[in-house]
Amino acid sequence: MTEVDGTPNGWLLLTRGLTKRFGGLVAVDRLPLAIRAGEVRGLIGPNGSGKTTTVNLLSGLYRADAGEIRLRGERIDRLRPHEITARGVARTFQTPKLFGNMTVLENVLLPALAELDRGGHRPRPKILERARALLEFVTLDPQRHAMAKELSGGQSMLLQIARGLMVSPIHLFLMDEPFAGVHPTIKDTIMETILRMNQEEGVTFLIVSHEMATLRRLCLRVSVMHEGQLIAEGSFEEIANHAAVLEAYLGR
Ligand SMILES: Nc1ncnc2c1ncn2[C@@H]1O[C@H](COP(=O)(O)OP(=O)(O)O)[C@@H](O)[C@H]1O
Ligand SMILES: [Mg+2]
């Protein structure tokens, strides 16, 4: 393998045989995912097809029963969530996980606190500058001293996104249904933030969403899951004409 910037042949993330069982149910079934550095990849599939479980495996929240996950060539499937974050993987949760009794700005600063604890060398003024710039992008800077619990659902999603982007260096951002139930204005802000971070900072994204029209504006390629398996992958045109995809969505 040729390595460019620690990324074998341009693959940022590679999984092989990735499997997660819940009792008798195989929620993720020998999943092979391959995402290039700099990609914005969509992940779709009917309800219960294993998308959230996949994100939970990639972020270390769940331990795989079988298979491997490689990030920039390194096995990460036995690491704990904070160790995976330290390697540049951020995520959002479908139901925002924030510290409600901390301010918006304090929530954004949390990844930097973990970074300082690891002996990070980013100077504090730089950290604060970055936090403010990210809050500015996601339109929350005016609310930076409000308690996180005062935010709407959509604003909470924006805050989760700003917080994820504080991870430094950031390579991969995993988003689980970031557009679900958010106001169209906030949806636009989320889309702009994804595109901007992808273009300006080369952040790679894996975005779980049901919103095809939105994904189409963000992603060149989508991966389709059904009953834990990867059943198709390709451009929207390829996916739309794929028999297995139609069958998965329309039923037999
Ligand atoms: N913690 C869990 N315990 C037991 N079953 C689970 C758990 N999480 C998910 N599942 C099951 O695994 C399957 C995949 O779920 P999930 O990954 O949430 O699907 P999706 O996000 O695609 O809707 C579903 O059948 C779901 O009920
Ligand atoms: Mg889900």
Side-chain angles (χ1 to χ4, degrees):
M1 278 198 287
T2 26
E3 299 228 352
V4 182
D5 184 26
T7 308
N9 294 322
W11 297 111
L12 178 73
L13 182 84
L14 288 169
T15 73
R16 198 163 62 183
L18 189 63
T19 300
K20 180 68 184 174
R21 297 185 196 93
F22 295 112
L25 176 85
V26 190
V28 174
D29 191 1
R30 294 162 293 163
L31 185 75
L33 263 190
I35 301 180
R36 291 202 173 277
E39 232 188 295
V40 180
R41 174 74 61 90
L43 179 59
I44 66 171
N47 277 333
S49 56
K51 305 179 299 293
T52 294
T53 304
T54 299
V55 170
N56 287 340
L57 287 166
L58 297 176
S59 57
L61 214 59
Y62 291 162
R63 173 71 59 102
D65 292 307
E68 57 181 58
I69 305 170
R70 283 178 193 273
L71 181 78
R72 306 169 88 225
E74 183 198 2
R75 285 283 292 266
I76 60 165
D77 45 84
R78 288 292 173 265
L79 300 181
R80 294 163 62 198
H82 70 276
E83 296 170 319
I84 293 177
T85 307
R87 282 161 180 74
V89 181
R91 71 165 292 175
T92 60
F93 292 86
Q94 190 172 355
T95 310
K97 291 197 195 306
L98 296 166
F99 291 90
N101 287 317
M102 290 172 71
T103 67
V104 167
L105 181 58
E106 284 167 346
N107 271 276
V108 172
L109 287 170
L110 285 172
L113 205 58
E115 178 188 329
L116 289 174
D117 184 44
R118 292 194 299 272
H121 295 295
R122 229 178 351 166
R124 282 169 199 227
K126 284 273 169 236
I127 289 174
L128 200 58
E129 194 181 302
R130 170 77 169 171
R132 291 289 300 277
L134 291 173
L135 283 175
E136 188 86 40
F137 284 0
V138 302
T139 70
L140 288 179
D141 199 52
Q143 279 105 306
R144 66 189 175 280
H145 299 306
M147 292 292 152
K149 67 182 174 195
E150 292 163 25
L151 299 181
S152 71
Q155 288 174 320
S156 299
M157 184 57 72
L158 292 173
L159 179 51
Q160 287 199 88
I161 292 170
R163 182 180 60 187
L165 292 168
M166 274 305 282
V167 170
S168 173
I170 174 160
H171 297 299
L172 176 64
F173 204 150
L174 310 166
M175 295 186 167
D176 193 4
E177 308 271 8
F179 306 109
V182 309
H183 189 276
T185 312
I186 290 183
K187 200 176 288 186
D188 286 342
T189 304
I190 296 175
M191 281 196 281
E192 279 164 27
T193 304
I194 292 169
L195 291 172
R196 182 166 178 182
M197 287 296 144
N198 177 251
Q199 282 155 17
E200 292 182 4
E201 303 190 8
V203 180
T204 303
F205 288 84
L206 177 65
I207 303 171
V208 174
S209 179
H210 289 294
E211 308 207 7
M212 299 298 262
T214 308
L215 279 185
R216 198 185 264 275
R217 290 168 60 185
L218 294 171
C219 311
L220 289 176
R221 290 175 70 78
V222 275
S223 303
V224 189
M225 290 183 73
H226 181 49
E227 295 176 348
Q229 299 187 348
L230 182 72
I231 58 163
E233 199 167 78
S235 67
F236 282 90
E237 286 64 34
E238 287 163 339
I239 292 305
N241 296 311
H242 200 290
V245 176
L246 295 174
E247 198 170 285
Y249 273 94
L250 302 176
R252 309 222 151 114

